[in-house]
Amino acid sequence: MKGSTILKLDAAMRGNKVIYWLGRIPLIRRLVSDTLYSAKEGKLALSVLLWIWRIIKSFGGTILYLALLCVLPTLLLADPLDTLPNFFGVFCWLLFCLSFLSGSLLNPCAVAADQLKYTCVRMMGMNAGRFHLWAEVKHHAEYFVTFTVGLLICAAVYGQSLWMALLLSVELSCARLVFEWLHIAVYRRRGRAIYGQVWFTLTVVFAGPILAYVPGLALELSLPNTLILWALPAFLVLGALSLIALIRYPDYYRLTLDTCQADKVSPELARQKNKGAAFKDVQLQSSDLTAEGEYASLSGWNYLQALFFRRHRRMMYKPLRICLIVVAIATAAGAIALLIFRGEDTAEVFSAVTRALPFCVFFLYLIDSNIVGTRITKAMFYNCDLAMLKFGWYRQRDVILKNFMLRFSRMCGVNLLLSAAVCGMFTVFTLCAGGRPPLGQYLAFMAALLCLGVFFAVHSLGMYYLFQPYTSDLQMKNPFFGIINGVMYVLCYTCIQIRSTPSWFTLVVLIVTVVYSAAILLLVRKRSPSRFRVK
């Protein structure tokens, strides 16, 4: 199969995808029929337009990436702006960390799942080695062209020669080849690729910017032009060796079988896999199904909820333990750093520690929405309410309110434990830094953190009882549930932008917690009998 055939197949697949999505738009789908899938000339013209758009997007995206992440930070250092050429070395350091390292690690071609690769190699039986070499050439050529144009513009901004931009682009292409082979080498040794694994992605995503901006902006670490020039032979040698290794790699077919699977390239199969993962999150294990003698004295709804939380302790308390360990490690590391660098500046900062409350609002919201609230309400529905809601007596107002309060007390306990850990972290930081915040403000700050635990517990449970968004296959059907949670996210994020007096914001948190909790309790009592049901 020739490269032109692959291009035609790629164009046909892209055209089919556009026709499919056009057929799902309400006002346009009447004009879209199945006969369009066989219109070769029409799909060819459509694919040309898609290629033009892809080229524009590639150039625009690269230029925007370099401008925002590499050029803009150096503009903040250049004061006045006519000193900008002096910070070209800082720009090169940022480019090295973000593109040479992080970008190359996160954008491999050989081990990435791709629908065209799956179709050509696994479904049509094309020679895997030839396809991979074609894909490698296309992938790296596109990056070389787009980054060359972007770096030429950046070189003009810094008053550097165009040869320096071309030199950086060549070295970046060589670095991409090196990391391309590194992914394959890791696959050969471990039997599976690390690309796409959560721990690998998070490590690279966080480590790259930290390595770039902390030394680059705080210490103004730079790469001189002479170092870039003398590094060229090393990049060329390593790039050539990696290219030879890529060409001579013998088992591309096995690599494709292991890394390019159907559920990674098919949206429908991906949805089915996600659905299975959603059930897996709330499924009980045999070790969870234990009854404790301590509940023998309980009866009725107290016994039901105590047994439910006993059996789901792994789902609730394991993420909580992880969060508490992270907070403890951060507390210890921060305390050591503050003791080492303790001075007037740190004392002044932590004398105003109550100003951190807006950030705590967003932080505690993220933890509750992603770890405690959503996870446990799904478990409540799938492992308890899905079966119990079939009975009318379970939907009676008094029963709903009784179970709501029992569940609320348990979820409050989890959130309050985490809020207390955050309180302890700030107390340790303040003592180690020598801060002396006003006692009244600090006590109100601690009280507000504890109130936030109550607030997010009542929000998560209240939204579940008022909207019951889950279907029997754990899909969300209620649009208002998503809208309200989106509004809550925006409000919590907006809190970060607040620059008001600490006492004013603390008072608002306390009042909102009391009012919101009372409102949710009233709404659950009045509205839940008609809303709390299986959909």
Side-chain angles (χ1 to χ4, degrees), residues 54 58 100 145 148 227 259 265-266 282 299 333 369 375 391 424 444 450 458 464 486 520:
R54 185 177 177 182
S58 298
F100 281 69
V145 172
T148 298
L227 179 61
T259 60
V265 299
S266 171
V282 297
S299 62
S369 61
R375 189 183 184 93
F391 303 101
L450 296 176
V458 76
Y464 169 63
I520 288 293

Side-chain angles (χ1 to χ4, degrees), residues 191-202:
R192 63 181 185 275
I194 59 173
Y195 171 74
Q197 295 188 20
V198 176
W199 68 267
F200 172 77
T201 304
L202 291 178

Side-chain angles (χ1 to χ4, degrees), residues 9-26:
L9 181 61
D10 187 25
M13 292 173 61
R14 292 179 183 275
N16 289 340
K17 188 179 295 185
V18 173
I19 294 172
Y20 171 78
W21 286 110
L22 288 176
R24 298 178 68 87
I25 300 176

Side-chain angles (χ1 to χ4, degrees), residues 284-295:
L284 294 173
Q285 299 177 359
S286 57
S287 59
D288 297 326
L289 302 177
T290 57
E292 299 294 322
E294 61 185 282
Y295 302 138

